[in-house]
Amino acid sequence: MVKISNLNKKYSENIGNFDINLTIPDGKVYGIIGPNGAGKSTMIRQILGFIRPDSGEIIINEVNPVTNSKKLMEFTGYVSGEVSLYNNMTGIKYLKLVHGLKKDADWDFVELLLKHFDINANQKIKKMSKGMKQKIALICATMNKPKFLVLDEPTSGLDPIMQEQFNDLIRKLQKDYGTTVLICSHIFEEVAKLCSQVGFIKDGRLIEEFEVEKNGIDQINERFKKLYTKESVL
Ligand SMILES: Nc1ncnc2c1ncn2[C@@H]1O[C@H](COP(=O)(O)OP(=O)(O)OP(=O)(O)O)[C@@H](O)[C@H]1O
C-alpha cells in the first residue's frame, strides 16, 4: 500500500506540494492529473526518495523512501517522459546491464516484452526513435515485475499502437503480479482506461479525488474543465 500523509515541500508561495494526503491500495492503478507546473513531478520525486519533504510522511509497502530508498528501489520501477539511457550501447546490451543490476529481474520476461513491443533492440540506443527508447525504458522498469510502478508522463507523444501496447503491459502487471501503479498523465484517455482512481492537483494541492467510472473519459474531461478552465485573454 502507498500512504502519503500531510506531505509538504515548499519551493515558494503556492509552488511545491502542500498538505497532500493520498492512499493507493495494493494492486490499484491511481492517476494524477494537473496542468503544467501543478506539482505532480515534485510529488513523484518525493515518493521515490529523490527529494526530501519539508514535512509529512510517505510509506510504500512499509518502506520510507527518505530513510530507505535502496530498499524502495528493490521493488519499484520508474519511467519518466524524458528517458535518458546510455546512448552508445545497443538496446540489448543496456537491457542486460540493467538485468544484472536489478534484484529479481526476469530475462524471459524481457524477451516477452521485446516481442510484445515488437522492438529490434540490437541497434544502438542513439539511433533509436523516441518511442523505441520509451519502450526500452519501460522494459527496464518492469523486468522484475515490480510491486510498485511510478510513471511520469510515460507515453507523451507516442503513437496509438504504442499506447495500446503500454496499456496492455500495465494491465498484465496489475492482473498477474498485483503491481500498484501511480501514473501522472495529460492523456485523459489513458487515465480513464487504466486507473480506478484519479486525483487532481492544482497549485501543489490535491484538490479532488474520485473513482473512475466505466466511461471515465467524459467524467475526467468535465471535472478538468470545471477545476482548471481560465477565461481566455485573447
Ligand atoms: N528544484 C526546484 N526549485 C524551485 N522550484 C521548483 C523546483 N522544481 C520544481 N519547481 C517548481 O515547482 C512547480 C511544480 O513543478 P513540477 O515539475 O512538480 O510540476 P508538474 O506538475 O510536474 O508540471 P509538468 O506537467 O509541466 O511536468 C513549478 O512551478 C516548478 O517551477
Side-chain angles (χ1 to χ4, degrees):
M1 181 164 88
V2 175
K3 189 155 178 59
I4 300 175
S5 314
N6 309 109
L7 186 72
N8 287 283
K9 176 80 194 173
K10 184 172 178 175
Y11 289 127
S12 55
E13 210 52 42
N14 283 332
I15 306 283
N17 283 163
F18 303 96
D19 202 25
I20 291 193
N21 291 283
L22 189 158
T23 300
I24 314 176
D26 284 342
K28 295 285 179 192
V29 183
Y30 189 106
I32 292 279
I33 288 177
N36 296 130
K40 304 177 298 296
S41 299
T42 301
M43 189 177 92
I44 280 185
R45 285 191 211 118
Q46 293 177 92
I47 290 174
L48 294 167
F50 298 164
I51 55 173
R52 185 180 273 268
D54 295 339
S55 61
E57 191 178 58
I58 302 168
I59 300 290
I60 297 153
N61 294 344
E62 293 168 27
V63 172
N64 183 326
V66 175
T67 55
N68 203 350
S69 71
K70 189 167 171 269
K71 181 88 195 148
L72 176 81
M73 284 305 156
E74 283 179 9
F75 62 79
T76 299
Y78 169 57
V79 181
S80 77
E82 285 165 35
V83 301
S84 79
L85 311 167
Y86 288 127
N87 273 328
N88 275 324
M89 280 188 174
T90 62
I92 205 81
K93 270 211 163 143
Y94 185 75
L95 289 166
K96 281 192 174 145
L97 174 76
V98 176
H99 176 262
L101 295 171
K102 271 204 172 196
K103 196 169 176 272
D104 302 325
D106 175 350
W107 190 255
D108 289 343
F109 196 53
V110 172
E111 290 187 337
L112 180 72
L113 293 180
L114 285 169
K115 261 196 211 140
H116 170 68
F117 283 126
D118 194 17
I119 179 172
N120 170 11
N122 289 315
Q123 61 178 309
K124 283 208 171 170
I125 289 172
K126 66 178 165 200
K127 291 192 177 166
M128 291 184 178
S129 68
K130 178 184 166 157
M132 290 164 83
K133 288 183 195 168
Q134 287 293 95
K135 290 176 184 186
I136 297 283
L138 275 165
I139 297 174
C140 288
T142 57
M143 63 168 71
N144 59 342
K145 302 147 185 168
K147 274 196 204 140
F148 183 41
L149 182 62
V150 180
L151 303 161
D152 193 355
E153 294 176 39
T155 59
S156 53
L158 300 182
D159 69 42
I161 299 166
M162 159 79 189
Q163 182 71 53
E164 263 318 303
Q165 290 169 335
F166 167 79
N167 291 353
D168 287 344
L169 171 60
I170 300 305
R171 288 189 195 109
K172 180 173 178 66
L173 288 168
Q174 185 190 23
K175 187 165 136 281
D176 294 356
Y177 307 108
T179 302
T180 307
V181 185
L182 176 65
I183 177 165
C184 269
S185 178
H186 294 294
I187 304 169
F188 296 169
E189 197 183 342
E190 173 176 88
V191 175
K193 278 187 173 167
L194 294 174
C195 301
S196 55
Q197 204 170 9
V198 59
F200 289 92
I201 292 206
K202 187 177 184 182
D203 299 331
R205 292 174 175 80
L206 187 68
I207 53 168
E208 188 167 312
E209 286 181 292
F210 58 76
E211 304 281 328
V212 179
E213 289 163 5
K214 219 168 174 66
N215 197 2
I217 183 83
D218 299 337
Q219 188 193 13
I220 292 170
N221 264 320
E222 190 215 292
R223 287 315 296 159
F224 188 86
K225 271 191 207 137
K226 282 233 163 74
L227 293 169
Y228 301 105
T229 302
K230 283 186 185 156
E231 286 291 311
S232 170
V233 293
L234 297 179

